[in-house]
Each structure stands twice: as C-alpha cells, then as structure tokens.
Amino acid sequence: MSTTSMTRPGGERSWLAAPPPAPRLPDDEARRRYPRLRFQVFMGIFIGYAGFYLIRNNISLVSKILLDGGRINKTGIGLIANAVLIAYGFSKFFMAMISDRSNARYFMPLGLVLSAVANLVVAFVPAVSGSLAVFAIVMFINGWFQGMGWPPAGRVLVHWFSTNERGWKTSIWNCAHNVGGMGVGAAAAWGLALTGDDWHAAFWLPALIAIVVAAVAFALIRDTPASVGLPPIEEYRDDPAKVASDTSELERLSYWRIVIEHVFKNRAMLLLAFANVFVYALRYGVLSWAPTYLSQVHRVSVAKGIAGFSLFELAGLVGTLACGWASDRIFRGNRTRTGVTFLTGAGVFLVLYWLAPVGTPYWLLMVHLFFIGAFIYGPVMLIGLQAIDMSAAHVAGTSAGFTGLFGYVLGATMASTGVGYVAEHFGWYVTYGMLVAFVVVAVILLALIGPEERRLIEAHRVRSGRQ
C-alpha cells in the first residue's frame, strides 16, 4: 500500500488520504493567496483544537454532583479520568502515524465529531453511567478520538509555517487549549443552568457545540500548500527546513519502517520523549497538588488553594507565548537553549516555593506559583515543536506524537499516582525535592540534544545562504 496515497486494495484512493498536489498557480496569484490561506488554516486548527478541549474529560466538572448523588465514588472518578489520559497518550502517537498520511482538513474534524458522539453516548445512554466499567470504556474511546486533534494540527504547522517563524506561531496556536478550557467551563455551567443541575448537560451541550466547531474547522483547514496549487512554505519564505525530507522513501518503504528509522532509531527523538516524561511529571505534579499542598502546609483555605491552581494555568498562557517568541527571536530557532533556560527558571521558583517557610505571605506564594507555571508551560509546548523541527516533514506529526505518548502515559501518571504516594508516605518536603530532581534530569536530557540541534541549525543556515 502506498503510504502517501493510502490506497485501498483495488488501487482506489482513500477519501481520508492526503490529497495530491494541485496544478501550480501562477506566481502572482500564489503570492496573493498565500497570506490569506495561511491565516485561514491557522484559524482552522486553532478553533478546531480548542473544540477538543470542550469534550475531553468533562467528568471532573460534575464530579461533585455524581458524588453527592451516590452514583460513583472518588476512586471511580479517578479511574474514568485516567482512562481518558492513557487512551489519549497512546492515541496521540498511533493516530499521528495515520495523520501524517491523511488530509488534515478531514482528519481533525472527524476526530472532533467522533469524540462528540462519545460524549453524547454518555449523556443519552443510561447504561453508560449505570456501570463504572462501561463508563470507563466509553471515556477511553473518547480519549482515543481526542488523539486525532494534535497530529493534524502539527501537520498543518509544519507545512504552512517555516522554521524561523514556527516557534512564535506554535506558541499562539498552543493557546487554543486555554481557550477551550475556558469554554468548557462556560458551556457546562450553561447546560447545568438550563437543566436544573442535570449532570448529563455537561456532556451533551459541549458536544453539540463541538460538532459546530468541527464544521467550522472543516471549512477553514487546507491540508498543504501544494494541495491548493501553492509552492512549499520553504520556497515561499526562502527558509529551508532544518531536516530535509526524502519523500521517495514513502514509495520504497512501509510507513512502519519509516517510523522505526526516523523516530525509534533517532537519538534526539528518544531524548525528547524521556525529557517530556519529567516535564509533564513536573507540570502535573505541581498543578494537580497545588490546592492540597497549600492547604496542608501553608494552612490557606481551599478556595485560595484553587485560586493558585487557576493562577498556574493563567501563567502557562503567558509563558507559552514568551517561550515561543524567545525561541525564534532571542535564541534564533535553538529550541534546546530555550528549553533549558525556561526549565532553569522553573527550577529556581520551584525551590523558592518548596523552601518557603510556614507563614510566608500568600501573595508571595502566588508569585512563586505563577512563575513556576510560566516557565514550565514553555517547555511543554517546546518539546512538541522541537520534535517537529528535528524531523522530516512526512513524519513530523508521528515524532511529536511519540513525545506526547511518553509525556501523558508516563509523566502525567507519575504525577497523579507517584507524587501522591511520595507525599503520603514521605511528606511534602521529600516530594518537592523529587520535583526539583525532575527539573535537573529534564535539563540534562535536553542539553544532550544540543549538539545535534546546533548541527541542524548550521546546515539550515548554509542551505538558506544566511551565513
């Protein structure tokens, strides 16, 4: 089977396959259309990806209603939430392998609609909420469809935005998850208000909105510049990719063999994946346990602890944008130096937060927490971007999905269960010492990638004639 065309046994092209190049437009027409289409497809993946967050894991929004009604206990809610997390981590990698050969215009909206259907099943099929096992299975399926969101967005970013602008553009796009995160709270609250606190509304109303969002994304997204008759982005912006793509191997090798060669045997991808484990463990280790830590150690109210949780997420928005801008403008595309710098900043404020004595003013604790969030969310975004940058374009989504697999399945799980275990048996002092160690390990792993990235950057400068 041709990996570029995804043909059926009879030779017929699959409707989901990446489209072939369209006839090349005249140069003046291409110059006129390129800016408009770049903005259009960017808005498509931004709006589309925000839509996924409307329906990712809505059980947390109505957990109190379910607990108070005796429908489920805390352990059950945790199992359901983890089912989504684990499915998403695996799907982000395996669905990326399909996405790299598919039409992003179809792939992203399809995943969003299928995820919406899973949420509608939760809302309207009583047997789902009547059984913990069935509930977890349906939400596992939802998590799998959620994995169809990031890979096509990564495909669009790598084909429509070139190396020396991709850090800033990716950081802006990454804010879609903050927009979606805010949107789901508003949609769920609206649904509960309309139905007198019927928890089902937190699933069906966001799902209906997500279907509308999928239609908008379909209208806006185009797969690649070539598919609409435009030149490659590297030609348009005179900015060659860091890694040259040998697309002839798509016809010579199976896609799985290509993944083995470009991902599993790629030292930089392996280092990025393991670094992502510790970055995600740090992110969720601080974020998820912030309300508990602040209330148990610093004796602040639960409300103030939750405020710290929200502040951490807000800081992430600021930090993501700052990191993307800095990686392009200050560090000139060197994602490794950017990541190490931001992780060092996270480590400094983590130590201040950890060693702050009881009685430290609440506002100062919030300053520490804000800067931890600002500095850690940059590397969260940057590792996926670095995987795209350091991969050939035809496996970029798979490479980023590989790092996401490690981050979610190992890192986030380590944060939820591992941090809780250490805090329970060894105390918060040891727990935060462990989180500081995570920073150190992540910095070391990223630093090991530095020489390879510098070599690619130098080769990029030679090809672009910018020496």
Side-chain angles (χ1 to χ4, degrees):
M1 182 181 74
S2 170
T3 55
T4 52
S5 62
M6 294 177 64
T7 53
R8 298 189 180 96
E12 182 185 352
R13 172 182 287 273
S14 166
W15 65 272
L16 192 59
R24 184 76 169 258
L25 294 173
D27 289 346
D28 58 342
E29 178 70 5
R31 284 192 296 270
R32 185 182 67 81
R33 295 190 62 189
Y34 226 125
R36 178 180 63 80
L37 280 172
R38 270 162 50 95
F39 177 76
Q40 176 183 313
V41 298
F42 183 86
M43 292 307 300
I45 61 172
F46 187 96
I47 294 168
Y49 196 62
F52 279 87
Y53 275 82
L54 293 173
I55 49 177
R56 174 158 295 181
N57 204 0
N58 292 9
I59 191 171
S60 61
L61 299 173
V62 292
S63 58
K64 187 177 187 302
I65 298 175
L66 294 172
L67 290 169
D68 291 347
R71 291 179 174 272
I72 197 170
N73 58 26
K74 292 179 181 177
T75 301
I77 289 175
L79 288 172
I80 292 170
N82 279 335
V84 177
L85 190 71
I86 292 171
Y88 178 69
F90 280 104
S91 177
K92 196 173 180 182
F93 172 61
F94 288 106
M95 296 307 283
M97 294 174 63
I98 301 174
S99 175
D100 274 336
R101 298 174 287 157
S102 300
N103 188 336
R105 187 186 187 191
Y106 295 148
F107 198 86
M108 175 179 270
L110 175 64
L112 187 52
V113 169
L114 291 174
S115 182
V117 170
N119 279 264
L120 291 173
V121 169
V122 170
F124 293 118
V125 179
V128 173
S129 57
S131 165
L132 174 61
V134 176
F135 205 152
I137 290 171
V138 173
M139 291 303 287
F140 182 93
I141 294 170
N142 180 56
W144 193 268
F145 292 142
Q146 284 282 318
M148 296 175 71
W150 205 105
R155 175 179 172 83
V156 167
L157 286 166
V158 80
H159 282 286
W160 285 91
F161 300 95
S162 66
T163 299
N164 64 21
E165 64 174 345
R166 201 175 291 147
W168 176 233
K169 294 297 193 299
T170 302
S171 67
I172 298 173
W173 167 79
N174 200 65
C175 295
H177 83 266
N178 300 97
V179 173
M182 291 185 288
V184 65
W190 183 26
L192 294 173
L194 290 174
T195 60
D197 285 346
D198 180 357
W199 67 269
H200 298 87
F203 286 85
W204 64 256
L205 184 56
L208 294 178
I209 297 172
I211 291 173
V212 175
V213 170
V216 173
F218 176 78
L220 295 176
I221 295 172
R222 298 294 183 271
D223 186 57
T224 64
S227 70
V228 290
L230 298 176
I233 188 62
E234 293 81 8
E235 178 184 331
Y236 173 71
R237 298 195 76 248
D238 190 22
D239 182 23
K242 279 185 181 177
V243 178
S245 293
D246 178 13
T247 55
S248 67
E249 68 182 7
L250 290 167
E251 303 299 333
R252 295 183 285 103
L253 303 173
S254 70
Y255 196 75
W256 186 247
R257 184 64 191 174
I258 293 171
V259 170
I260 291 174
E261 293 297 326
H262 285 276
V263 180
F264 294 161
K265 291 185 177 181
N266 187 327
R267 177 176 175 272
M269 290 305 115
L270 293 174
L271 289 170
L272 282 171
F274 283 112
N276 215 26
V277 172
F278 295 98
V279 168
Y280 266 76
L282 178 63
R283 169 192 175 184
Y284 284 109
V286 176
L287 174 65
S288 301
W289 294 98
T292 304
Y293 174 74
L294 289 168
S295 62
Q296 288 186 354
V297 175
H298 291 281
R299 303 291 188 266
V300 306
S301 67
V302 174
K304 286 185 175 180
I306 294 174
F309 179 100
S310 300
L311 184 68
F312 189 92
E313 287 281 26
L314 176 63
L317 185 65
V318 177
T320 297
L321 292 172
C323 187
W325 179 85
S327 72
D328 280 348
R329 302 299 181 185
I330 298 176
F331 295 97
R332 303 295 182 185
N334 192 315
R335 319 299 183 194
T336 299
R337 288 180 180 173
T338 312
V340 168
T341 300
F342 272 68
L343 277 174
T344 302
V348 169
F349 281 95
L350 182 64
V351 169
L352 294 174
Y353 182 66
W354 167 33
L355 299 180
V358 175
T360 298
Y362 174 72
W363 68 266
L364 185 55
L365 293 172
M366 292 301 98
V367 168
H368 296 159
L369 202 55
F370 178 90
F371 280 104
I372 295 171
F375 279 117
I376 195 58
Y377 268 94
V380 167
M381 176 275 299
L382 205 63
I383 286 179
L385 170 61
Q386 197 166 2
I388 290 175
D389 263 359
M390 299 182 70
S391 300
H394 57 285
V395 290
T398 302
S399 298
F402 181 68
T403 66
L405 168 67
F406 278 66
Y408 276 95
V409 175
L410 297 179
T413 302
M414 186 190 301
S416 60
T417 57
V419 170
Y421 179 86
V422 174
E424 179 71 24
H425 292 87
F426 301 99
W428 287 111
Y429 191 87
V430 173
T431 300
Y432 274 85
M434 178 182 70
L435 292 174
V436 171
F438 287 174
V439 175
V440 174
V441 174
V443 166
I444 292 171
L445 290 170
L446 285 184
L448 291 174
I449 303 169
E452 173 65 10
E453 185 168 33
R454 286 194 297 273
R455 184 188 68 77
L456 292 175
I457 290 173
E458 185 60 31
H460 169 263
R461 287 174 180 164
V462 171
R463 288 197 302 274
S464 60
R466 292 186 176 125
Q467 279 193 308

